[in-house]
Amino acid sequence: MKRLAWGGLLALGCAVPWPGGTRQPALIEFTEAEVRSILQHGPWPVPWSGDPSNRVSGSAHAIDLGERLFFDRRLSATGGVSCATCHQPDRGWSDGRPRGFGLAKVDRNTPSLMNVRLHRWFGLDGAADSLWSQSLRPILNTKELGSNAGHVAALIRRDADLACRYEKSFGRRPPADDEALLVDAGKALAAFQETLVTGRTAFDAFRDALERGDRSAAAHYSEAAQRGLRIFVGKGACSTCHTGPTFTNGEFHDIGISQFVRPGEVDPGRHRGIQQVTAGRFNLLGVYNDDPTRARATGTRHVALEHRNFGEFRVPTLRNAASTAPYMHNGQLATVPDVVRYYSEIDIDRLHADGEQILRPLKLSAREATDLAVFLETLSDYAAPWRGRKPGDGPACR
Amino acid sequence: MGDLGWGASARELPIFDAHVHYSHDAWERVPPKEAIGLLRKAGVKRALVSSSNDDGQQKLFAEAPDLILPSLRPYRSRGDIGTWVRDDAIVGYLEERLKRYRYVAIGEFHVFGADADTPVVRRAVQLARQYKLLLHAHSDAEAIERLFRQDPGARILWAHSGFERPEKVREMLRKHRNLWCDLAFRNDHAPGGRLDPDWRAAFIEFPDRFMVGTDTYTPERWHYLGEHARWSREWLAGLPEDLAERIAFRNGEALFGAMLAPH
């Protein structure tokens, strides 16, 4: 494979070559193909674009209402749990548990909400096709908030502050239709979650320096991280699925993780997710989609149910993954090095011979495994924990 | 046709599942009694079962000889998938198992292209002829051709129909009278549960040559048997009743059903 000279970077759109053409010792000479792979993981953050299926997407009033609802335990059947019970801001919007626990223990790990607005399908099984419809699932799930449309609607109607904020968000008083009001609560929750975006990382600084041809800036990225990055885009083929600025293709794959949730019961993953999203009354094909063009409903209309979907789960973003341990859909891997080890020693016996053909044991050396883990850590921004308001904070709505 | 034990108007079409595995990791997670229960709950009346190693399907056969049709896989563990064709020790393994147990087939094995002519594969073909067994081959068309050249009288069940397009499958079926096809782990014949026209033509041209199969390649997939049977019945409903019954059950029964009958 051809090695990339810095002149080659110019051809890739790099503006500033390293003065004098000398080599910075701390900088790996990536090939042209490697550089192309690296550059496709940015720039970050991606520009804002609203969700046309949600008429209050991007609305400051709806974001405010959604944030209040997110932390409001009164949404739950018992008044004891909220969305934030599992999606905790100081735990990367996850909960640190192998499996979530709302009103009861659930069967899956709690996914982070960071960058959630950029998903194509929502939930680890993709059983929702919009962020607002996904936001309804835990509200209605008996093991999570265990609530129902009537309960949520009554809360918003009865609470003068919430009712006022609803009116500011949606331009009307809370309607009498419980289900319509529940869906609007989901849309406000979605508007809030759309604001949860990870910050720039050490990797982003390196990636942008690479694009600019700024060797001096690029050399600030540790050599171990660079070596790990080379494995990520090369030998490891990790970037085949963990692709793009979000480090996920947004699709679903089976990597051989156990589907058993208890003896005699398995998690069907994407297979059931497709059945649910196509049959669900809150999907983008339904009456609650605010986009008259139904442009985003194309995937829902055409998604095909296949045998391979049984046991597939959504490829997670790797941004800020270091803050969201444990890992995998059932939380069976405790640390980032555990994840690296899993792929290094992956049991291909658990994969179909004509299935995920890209997956083979990476057989990484100890140093390679460390390098890959170091690289993955550089995808986290380690920003100060999010500090939101609590219910009742701030002036009352008028 | 004899009495097959179900009426033509029966609502739940019985299933002959031609592609079931019960390998070492399944034995603990889905013990034999539970596995048999899952097959029966799915409405599977017969199942062609192979395992890595061979002990798995022997456990199932002991539990339900009316239901299980054992097939001998040339794998001591599933890790042999990619190496067995050049592993001389496999020959001894096959010979030893064939002396000890009764089978209806050798397979499912994976072999592609010229690898079908390695000495180990040739010996497996000879053993199938000696013991009058089917070969259950996960292969491309070239390997199927090579297997038939070794033994023109061989009977081969083509796993997954080779993941070939229906036109190619029909071409192979026209050429080889002793070739049958399972439809395991493919959806293209019935996307969304509705029959594809090209596949429909294949089924009508060769009503006696196709079977359904789940492919339980992980323990978890045993819990997919019921869903697979439901899906099979859904798309089979798009065929004439007689043809649906053949693909669902009668073709498998006709090919394998009498092989373990008392001599």
Side-chain angles (χ1 to χ4, degrees), chain B residues 115-150:
Chain B
D115 279 354
D117 282 328
T118 63
V120 176
V121 180
R122 285 180 174 277
R123 181 60 184 147
V125 174
Q126 290 168 1
L127 287 167
R129 179 166 52 194
Q130 178 183 338
Y131 286 88
K132 297 182 172 54
L133 305 177
L134 272 283
L135 292 164
H136 192 188
H138 182 137
S139 300
D140 54 9
E142 180 189 347
I144 296 294
E145 297 285 9
R146 287 173 182 267
L147 295 174
F148 274 126
R149 277 201 289 273
Q150 290 171 39

mmCIF file of all heavy atoms in Angstrom, chain B residues 115-150:
data_model
loop_
_atom_site.group_PDB
_atom_site.id
_atom_site.type_symbol
_atom_site.label_atom_id
_atom_site.label_comp_id
_atom_site.label_asym_id
_atom_site.label_seq_id
_atom_site.Cartn_x
_atom_site.Cartn_y
_atom_site.Cartn_z
ATOM 1 N N ASP B 115 -11.991 -27.560 -3.471
ATOM 2 C CA ASP B 115 -11.819 -28.290 -2.204
ATOM 3 C C ASP B 115 -12.694 -29.542 -2.149
ATOM 4 O O ASP B 115 -12.435 -30.450 -1.352
ATOM 5 C CB ASP B 115 -12.166 -27.384 -1.013
ATOM 6 C CG ASP B 115 -11.015 -26.470 -0.639
ATOM 7 O OD1 ASP B 115 -9.917 -26.619 -1.223
ATOM 8 O OD2 ASP B 115 -11.217 -25.592 0.215
ATOM 9 N N ALA B 116 -13.710 -29.584 -2.979
ATOM 10 C CA ALA B 116 -14.580 -30.763 -2.981
ATOM 11 C C ALA B 116 -13.854 -32.015 -3.464
ATOM 12 O O ALA B 116 -14.376 -33.126 -3.311
ATOM 13 C CB ALA B 116 -15.814 -30.493 -3.846
ATOM 14 N N ASP B 117 -12.691 -31.826 -4.045
ATOM 15 C CA ASP B 117 -11.945 -32.986 -4.549
ATOM 16 C C ASP B 117 -10.766 -33.371 -3.660
ATOM 17 O O ASP B 117 -9.908 -34.158 -4.069
ATOM 18 C CB ASP B 117 -11.447 -32.705 -5.972
ATOM 19 C CG ASP B 117 -12.570 -32.867 -6.996
ATOM 20 O OD1 ASP B 117 -13.457 -33.714 -6.771
ATOM 21 O OD2 ASP B 117 -12.567 -32.127 -7.995
ATOM 22 N N THR B 118 -10.683 -32.829 -2.470
ATOM 23 C CA THR B 118 -9.602 -33.254 -1.574
ATOM 24 C C THR B 118 -9.865 -34.699 -1.126
ATOM 25 O O THR B 118 -11.009 -35.165 -1.136
ATOM 26 C CB THR B 118 -9.525 -32.365 -0.319
ATOM 27 O OG1 THR B 118 -10.741 -32.507 0.418
ATOM 28 C CG2 THR B 118 -9.280 -30.909 -0.686
ATOM 29 N N PRO B 119 -8.815 -35.418 -0.741
ATOM 30 C CA PRO B 119 -9.000 -36.815 -0.328
ATOM 31 C C PRO B 119 -10.008 -36.988 0.804
ATOM 32 O O PRO B 119 -10.755 -37.973 0.830
ATOM 33 C CB PRO B 119 -7.585 -37.229 0.110
ATOM 34 C CG PRO B 119 -6.678 -36.357 -0.689
ATOM 35 C CD PRO B 119 -7.388 -35.039 -0.806
ATOM 36 N N VAL B 120 -10.031 -36.055 1.739
ATOM 37 C CA VAL B 120 -10.961 -36.182 2.867
ATOM 38 C C VAL B 120 -12.408 -36.100 2.381
ATOM 39 O O VAL B 120 -13.264 -36.908 2.772
ATOM 40 C CB VAL B 120 -10.682 -35.096 3.931
ATOM 41 C CG1 VAL B 120 -11.723 -35.170 5.056
ATOM 42 C CG2 VAL B 120 -9.283 -35.245 4.500
ATOM 43 N N VAL B 121 -12.677 -35.138 1.503
ATOM 44 C CA VAL B 121 -14.045 -35.001 0.990
ATOM 45 C C VAL B 121 -14.402 -36.215 0.135
ATOM 46 O O VAL B 121 -15.523 -36.742 0.209
ATOM 47 C CB VAL B 121 -14.198 -33.693 0.195
ATOM 48 C CG1 VAL B 121 -15.625 -33.560 -0.338
ATOM 49 C CG2 VAL B 121 -13.853 -32.493 1.063
ATOM 50 N N ARG B 122 -13.439 -36.666 -0.666
ATOM 51 C CA ARG B 122 -13.704 -37.854 -1.494
ATOM 52 C C ARG B 122 -14.078 -39.053 -0.619
ATOM 53 O O ARG B 122 -14.985 -39.817 -0.947
ATOM 54 C CB ARG B 122 -12.464 -38.182 -2.339
ATOM 55 C CG ARG B 122 -12.278 -37.246 -3.515
ATOM 56 C CD ARG B 122 -11.033 -37.598 -4.325
ATOM 57 N NE ARG B 122 -10.957 -36.785 -5.519
ATOM 58 C CZ ARG B 122 -11.606 -37.064 -6.652
ATOM 59 N NH1 ARG B 122 -12.358 -38.160 -6.736
ATOM 60 N NH2 ARG B 122 -11.507 -36.269 -7.692
ATOM 61 N N ARG B 123 -13.383 -39.192 0.483
ATOM 62 C CA ARG B 123 -13.684 -40.312 1.379
ATOM 63 C C ARG B 123 -15.083 -40.165 1.995
ATOM 64 O O ARG B 123 -15.809 -41.157 2.150
ATOM 65 C CB ARG B 123 -12.624 -40.385 2.489
ATOM 66 C CG ARG B 123 -12.822 -41.539 3.465
ATOM 67 C CD ARG B 123 -12.788 -42.895 2.778
ATOM 68 N NE ARG B 123 -13.062 -43.989 3.709
ATOM 69 C CZ ARG B 123 -13.687 -45.117 3.396
ATOM 70 N NH1 ARG B 123 -14.083 -45.334 2.147
ATOM 71 N NH2 ARG B 123 -13.890 -46.045 4.305
ATOM 72 N N ALA B 124 -15.447 -38.919 2.310
ATOM 73 C CA ALA B 124 -16.796 -38.696 2.850
ATOM 74 C C ALA B 124 -17.855 -39.098 1.819
ATOM 75 O O ALA B 124 -18.886 -39.692 2.169
ATOM 76 C CB ALA B 124 -16.960 -37.228 3.238
ATOM 77 N N VAL B 125 -17.607 -38.786 0.557
ATOM 78 C CA VAL B 125 -18.546 -39.173 -0.500
ATOM 79 C C VAL B 125 -18.623 -40.698 -0.609
ATOM 80 O O VAL B 125 -19.709 -41.277 -0.752
ATOM 81 C CB VAL B 125 -18.122 -38.536 -1.844
ATOM 82 C CG1 VAL B 125 -19.005 -39.047 -2.991
ATOM 83 C CG2 VAL B 125 -18.203 -37.020 -1.757
ATOM 84 N N GLN B 126 -17.460 -41.357 -0.521
ATOM 85 C CA GLN B 126 -17.447 -42.827 -0.562
ATOM 86 C C GLN B 126 -18.235 -43.420 0.608
ATOM 87 O O GLN B 126 -18.989 -44.392 0.444
ATOM 88 C CB GLN B 126 -15.998 -43.331 -0.534
ATOM 89 C CG GLN B 126 -15.226 -43.045 -1.802
ATOM 90 C CD GLN B 126 -13.723 -43.285 -1.621
ATOM 91 O OE1 GLN B 126 -13.262 -43.688 -0.543
ATOM 92 N NE2 GLN B 126 -12.959 -43.025 -2.673
ATOM 93 N N LEU B 127 -18.048 -42.848 1.772
ATOM 94 C CA LEU B 127 -18.755 -43.361 2.952
ATOM 95 C C LEU B 127 -20.268 -43.170 2.816
ATOM 96 O O LEU B 127 -21.052 -44.029 3.232
ATOM 97 C CB LEU B 127 -18.240 -42.663 4.215
ATOM 98 C CG LEU B 127 -16.835 -43.086 4.659
ATOM 99 C CD1 LEU B 127 -16.285 -42.132 5.726
ATOM 100 C CD2 LEU B 127 -16.843 -44.525 5.197
ATOM 101 N N ALA B 128 -20.655 -42.057 2.234
ATOM 102 C CA ALA B 128 -22.088 -41.830 2.021
ATOM 103 C C ALA B 128 -22.656 -42.901 1.092
ATOM 104 O O ALA B 128 -23.759 -43.419 1.321
ATOM 105 C CB ALA B 128 -22.316 -40.438 1.446
ATOM 106 N N ARG B 129 -21.894 -43.231 0.061
ATOM 107 C CA ARG B 129 -22.354 -44.272 -0.866
ATOM 108 C C ARG B 129 -22.410 -45.624 -0.153
ATOM 109 O O ARG B 129 -23.371 -46.376 -0.282
ATOM 110 C CB ARG B 129 -21.408 -44.354 -2.063
ATOM 111 C CG ARG B 129 -21.819 -45.450 -3.076
ATOM 112 C CD ARG B 129 -21.079 -45.284 -4.375
ATOM 113 N NE ARG B 129 -19.638 -45.178 -4.153
ATOM 114 C CZ ARG B 129 -18.769 -44.756 -5.076
ATOM 115 N NH1 ARG B 129 -19.185 -44.374 -6.257
ATOM 116 N NH2 ARG B 129 -17.478 -44.700 -4.822
ATOM 117 N N GLN B 130 -21.366 -45.920 0.621
ATOM 118 C CA GLN B 130 -21.281 -47.206 1.329
ATOM 119 C C GLN B 130 -22.451 -47.389 2.288
ATOM 120 O O GLN B 130 -23.024 -48.478 2.377
ATOM 121 C CB GLN B 130 -19.952 -47.272 2.086
ATOM 122 C CG GLN B 130 -19.767 -48.545 2.896
ATOM 123 C CD GLN B 130 -18.444 -48.515 3.682
ATOM 124 O OE1 GLN B 130 -17.518 -47.774 3.324
ATOM 125 N NE2 GLN B 130 -18.365 -49.299 4.732
ATOM 126 N N TYR B 131 -22.793 -46.314 2.987
ATOM 127 C CA TYR B 131 -23.852 -46.416 4.009
ATOM 128 C C TYR B 131 -25.210 -45.942 3.476
ATOM 129 O O TYR B 131 -26.161 -45.829 4.250
ATOM 130 C CB TYR B 131 -23.452 -45.609 5.249
ATOM 131 C CG TYR B 131 -22.376 -46.274 6.082
ATOM 132 C CD1 TYR B 131 -21.028 -46.060 5.826
ATOM 133 C CD2 TYR B 131 -22.706 -47.148 7.127
ATOM 134 C CE1 TYR B 131 -20.039 -46.673 6.584
ATOM 135 C CE2 TYR B 131 -21.723 -47.758 7.892
ATOM 136 C CZ TYR B 131 -20.390 -47.529 7.618
ATOM 137 O OH TYR B 131 -19.416 -48.136 8.371
ATOM 138 N N LYS B 132 -25.250 -45.623 2.184
ATOM 139 C CA LYS B 132 -26.504 -45.197 1.544
ATOM 140 C C LYS B 132 -27.081 -43.947 2.227
ATOM 141 O O LYS B 132 -28.262 -43.880 2.601
ATOM 142 C CB LYS B 132 -27.534 -46.333 1.556
ATOM 143 C CG LYS B 132 -27.100 -47.559 0.764
ATOM 144 C CD LYS B 132 -28.172 -48.624 0.770
ATOM 145 C CE LYS B 132 -27.856 -49.767 -0.175
ATOM 146 N NZ LYS B 132 -26.518 -50.405 0.023
ATOM 147 N N LEU B 133 -26.238 -42.962 2.388
ATOM 148 C CA LEU B 133 -26.622 -41.728 3.072
ATOM 149 C C LEU B 133 -26.666 -40.556 2.092
ATOM 150 O O LEU B 133 -25.983 -40.565 1.064
ATOM 151 C CB LEU B 133 -25.621 -41.407 4.191
ATOM 152 C CG LEU B 133 -25.376 -42.508 5.225
ATOM 153 C CD1 LEU B 133 -24.313 -42.053 6.222
ATOM 154 C CD2 LEU B 133 -26.673 -42.881 5.938
ATOM 155 N N LEU B 134 -27.457 -39.555 2.443
ATOM 156 C CA LEU B 134 -27.433 -38.291 1.716
ATOM 157 C C LEU B 134 -26.169 -37.518 2.080
ATOM 158 O O LEU B 134 -25.576 -37.756 3.143
ATOM 159 C CB LEU B 134 -28.643 -37.439 2.095
ATOM 160 C CG LEU B 134 -29.989 -37.571 1.360
ATOM 161 C CD1 LEU B 134 -29.930 -36.881 0.008
ATOM 162 C CD2 LEU B 134 -30.466 -38.988 1.248
ATOM 163 N N LEU B 135 -25.806 -36.583 1.225
ATOM 164 C CA LEU B 135 -24.780 -35.596 1.561
ATOM 165 C C LEU B 135 -25.492 -34.253 1.737
ATOM 166 O O LEU B 135 -26.259 -33.846 0.848
ATOM 167 C CB LEU B 135 -23.740 -35.488 0.441
ATOM 168 C CG LEU B 135 -22.846 -36.712 0.232
ATOM 169 C CD1 LEU B 135 -22.141 -36.632 -1.120
ATOM 170 C CD2 LEU B 135 -21.807 -36.813 1.354
ATOM 171 N N HIS B 136 -25.269 -33.606 2.869
ATOM 172 C CA HIS B 136 -25.876 -32.290 3.117
ATOM 173 C C HIS B 136 -24.770 -31.260 2.973
ATOM 174 O O HIS B 136 -23.962 -31.059 3.885
ATOM 175 C CB HIS B 136 -26.495 -32.252 4.519
ATOM 176 C CG HIS B 136 -27.381 -31.068 4.747
ATOM 177 N ND1 HIS B 136 -27.894 -30.761 5.985
ATOM 178 C CD2 HIS B 136 -27.878 -30.121 3.917
ATOM 179 C CE1 HIS B 136 -28.653 -29.682 5.898
ATOM 180 N NE2 HIS B 136 -28.648 -29.272 4.651
ATOM 181 N N ALA B 137 -24.722 -30.623 1.807
ATOM 182 C CA ALA B 137 -23.556 -29.819 1.429
ATOM 183 C C ALA B 137 -23.880 -28.329 1.416
ATOM 184 O O ALA B 137 -24.769 -27.889 0.677
ATOM 185 C CB ALA B 137 -23.066 -30.250 0.054
ATOM 186 N N HIS B 138 -23.136 -27.577 2.219
ATOM 187 C CA HIS B 138 -23.166 -26.114 2.169
ATOM 188 C C HIS B 138 -22.071 -25.729 1.183
ATOM 189 O O HIS B 138 -20.895 -25.609 1.550
ATOM 190 C CB HIS B 138 -22.888 -25.547 3.567
ATOM 191 C CG HIS B 138 -22.945 -24.062 3.647
ATOM 192 N ND1 HIS B 138 -23.559 -23.402 4.684
ATOM 193 C CD2 HIS B 138 -22.469 -23.083 2.846
ATOM 194 C CE1 HIS B 138 -23.448 -22.099 4.517
ATOM 195 N NE2 HIS B 138 -22.768 -21.882 3.403
ATOM 196 N N SER B 139 -22.434 -25.570 -0.073
ATOM 197 C CA SER B 139 -21.441 -25.485 -1.143
ATOM 198 C C SER B 139 -21.890 -24.538 -2.234
ATOM 199 O O SER B 139 -23.074 -24.221 -2.364
ATOM 200 C CB SER B 139 -21.238 -26.875 -1.782
ATOM 201 O OG SER B 139 -20.798 -27.811 -0.838
ATOM 202 N N ASP B 140 -20.916 -24.142 -3.041
ATOM 203 C CA ASP B 140 -21.256 -23.445 -4.275
ATOM 204 C C ASP B 140 -21.556 -24.485 -5.360
ATOM 205 O O ASP B 140 -21.353 -25.697 -5.169
ATOM 206 C CB ASP B 140 -20.118 -22.507 -4.686
ATOM 207 C CG ASP B 140 -18.766 -23.200 -4.783
ATOM 208 O OD1 ASP B 140 -18.720 -24.456 -4.700
ATOM 209 O OD2 ASP B 140 -17.746 -22.509 -4.934
ATOM 210 N N ALA B 141 -22.031 -23.999 -6.477
ATOM 211 C CA ALA B 141 -22.434 -24.924 -7.548
ATOM 212 C C ALA B 141 -21.252 -25.749 -8.038
ATOM 213 O O ALA B 141 -21.403 -26.933 -8.373
ATOM 214 C CB ALA B 141 -23.064 -24.131 -8.690
ATOM 215 N N GLU B 142 -20.082 -25.140 -8.075
ATOM 216 C CA GLU B 142 -18.908 -25.877 -8.561
ATOM 217 C C GLU B 142 -18.630 -27.097 -7.683
ATOM 218 O O GLU B 142 -18.350 -28.196 -8.184
ATOM 219 C CB GLU B 142 -17.679 -24.959 -8.583
ATOM 220 C CG GLU B 142 -16.433 -25.679 -9.094
ATOM 221 C CD GLU B 142 -15.150 -24.871 -8.937
ATOM 222 O OE1 GLU B 142 -15.244 -23.656 -8.656
ATOM 223 O OE2 GLU B 142 -14.062 -25.458 -9.081
ATOM 224 N N ALA B 143 -18.697 -26.910 -6.385
ATOM 225 C CA ALA B 143 -18.441 -28.044 -5.484
ATOM 226 C C ALA B 143 -19.510 -29.125 -5.653
ATOM 227 O O ALA B 143 -19.197 -30.326 -5.613
ATOM 228 C CB ALA B 143 -18.395 -27.560 -4.041
ATOM 229 N N ILE B 144 -20.741 -28.715 -5.853
ATOM 230 C CA ILE B 144 -21.811 -29.705 -6.079
ATOM 231 C C ILE B 144 -21.496 -30.527 -7.334
ATOM 232 O O ILE B 144 -21.632 -31.760 -7.349
ATOM 233 C CB ILE B 144 -23.176 -28.995 -6.212
ATOM 234 C CG1 ILE B 144 -23.551 -28.290 -4.894
ATOM 235 C CG2 ILE B 144 -24.255 -29.987 -6.638
ATOM 236 C CD1 ILE B 144 -23.818 -29.210 -3.730
ATOM 237 N N GLU B 145 -21.059 -29.837 -8.370
ATOM 238 C CA GLU B 145 -20.702 -30.551 -9.612
ATOM 239 C C GLU B 145 -19.579 -31.550 -9.352
ATOM 240 O O GLU B 145 -19.597 -32.684 -9.842
ATOM 241 C CB GLU B 145 -20.253 -29.546 -10.684
ATOM 242 C CG GLU B 145 -21.311 -28.554 -11.118
ATOM 243 C CD GLU B 145 -22.372 -29.164 -12.030
ATOM 244 O OE1 GLU B 145 -22.384 -30.408 -12.180
ATOM 245 O OE2 GLU B 145 -23.199 -28.405 -12.550
ATOM 246 N N ARG B 146 -18.615 -31.150 -8.585
ATOM 247 C CA ARG B 146 -17.475 -32.034 -8.309
ATOM 248 C C ARG B 146 -17.914 -33.245 -7.492
ATOM 249 O O ARG B 146 -17.436 -34.359 -7.695
ATOM 250 C CB ARG B 146 -16.370 -31.257 -7.581
ATOM 251 C CG ARG B 146 -15.630 -30.272 -8.483
ATOM 252 C CD ARG B 146 -14.669 -29.395 -7.688
ATOM 253 N NE ARG B 146 -13.989 -28.410 -8.536
ATOM 254 C CZ ARG B 146 -12.816 -28.586 -9.105
ATOM 255 N NH1 ARG B 146 -12.150 -29.722 -8.916
ATOM 256 N NH2 ARG B 146 -12.278 -27.657 -9.864
ATOM 257 N N LEU B 147 -18.818 -33.011 -6.536
ATOM 258 C CA LEU B 147 -19.307 -34.138 -5.727
ATOM 259 C C LEU B 147 -20.047 -35.151 -6.619
ATOM 260 O O LEU B 147 -19.868 -36.366 -6.476
ATOM 261 C CB LEU B 147 -20.229 -33.624 -4.621
ATOM 262 C CG LEU B 147 -19.574 -32.739 -3.552
ATOM 263 C CD1 LEU B 147 -20.630 -32.174 -2.597
ATOM 264 C CD2 LEU B 147 -18.521 -33.506 -2.752
ATOM 265 N N PHE B 148 -20.849 -34.645 -7.535
ATOM 266 C CA PHE B 148 -21.572 -35.561 -8.428
ATOM 267 C C PHE B 148 -20.617 -36.268 -9.390
ATOM 268 O O PHE B 148 -20.873 -37.411 -9.784
ATOM 269 C CB PHE B 148 -22.645 -34.796 -9.211
ATOM 270 C CG PHE B 148 -23.952 -34.671 -8.475
ATOM 271 C CD1 PHE B 148 -24.537 -33.432 -8.277
ATOM 272 C CD2 PHE B 148 -24.604 -35.799 -7.983
ATOM 273 C CE1 PHE B 148 -25.741 -33.310 -7.603
ATOM 274 C CE2 PHE B 148 -25.815 -35.683 -7.301
ATOM 275 C CZ PHE B 148 -26.380 -34.440 -7.112
ATOM 276 N N ARG B 149 -19.527 -35.614 -9.772
ATOM 277 C CA ARG B 149 -18.568 -36.294 -10.658
ATOM 278 C C ARG B 149 -17.910 -37.461 -9.928
ATOM 279 O O ARG B 149 -17.602 -38.488 -10.519
ATOM 280 C CB ARG B 149 -17.509 -35.311 -11.166
ATOM 281 C CG ARG B 149 -17.975 -34.516 -12.380
ATOM 282 C CD ARG B 149 -16.805 -33.944 -13.172
ATOM 283 N NE ARG B 149 -16.150 -32.862 -12.471
ATOM 284 C CZ ARG B 149 -16.551 -31.581 -12.559
ATOM 285 N NH1 ARG B 149 -17.596 -31.254 -13.306
ATOM 286 N NH2 ARG B 149 -15.906 -30.639 -11.913
ATOM 287 N N GLN B 150 -17.697 -37.277 -8.615
ATOM 288 C CA GLN B 150 -17.107 -38.378 -7.841
ATOM 289 C C GLN B 150 -18.069 -39.560 -7.737
ATOM 290 O O GLN B 150 -17.655 -40.709 -7.791
ATOM 291 C CB GLN B 150 -16.764 -37.892 -6.426
ATOM 292 C CG GLN B 150 -15.608 -36.922 -6.356
ATOM 293 C CD GLN B 150 -15.494 -36.337 -4.951
ATOM 294 O OE1 GLN B 150 -15.688 -37.020 -3.954
ATOM 295 N NE2 GLN B 150 -15.185 -35.058 -4.876
#
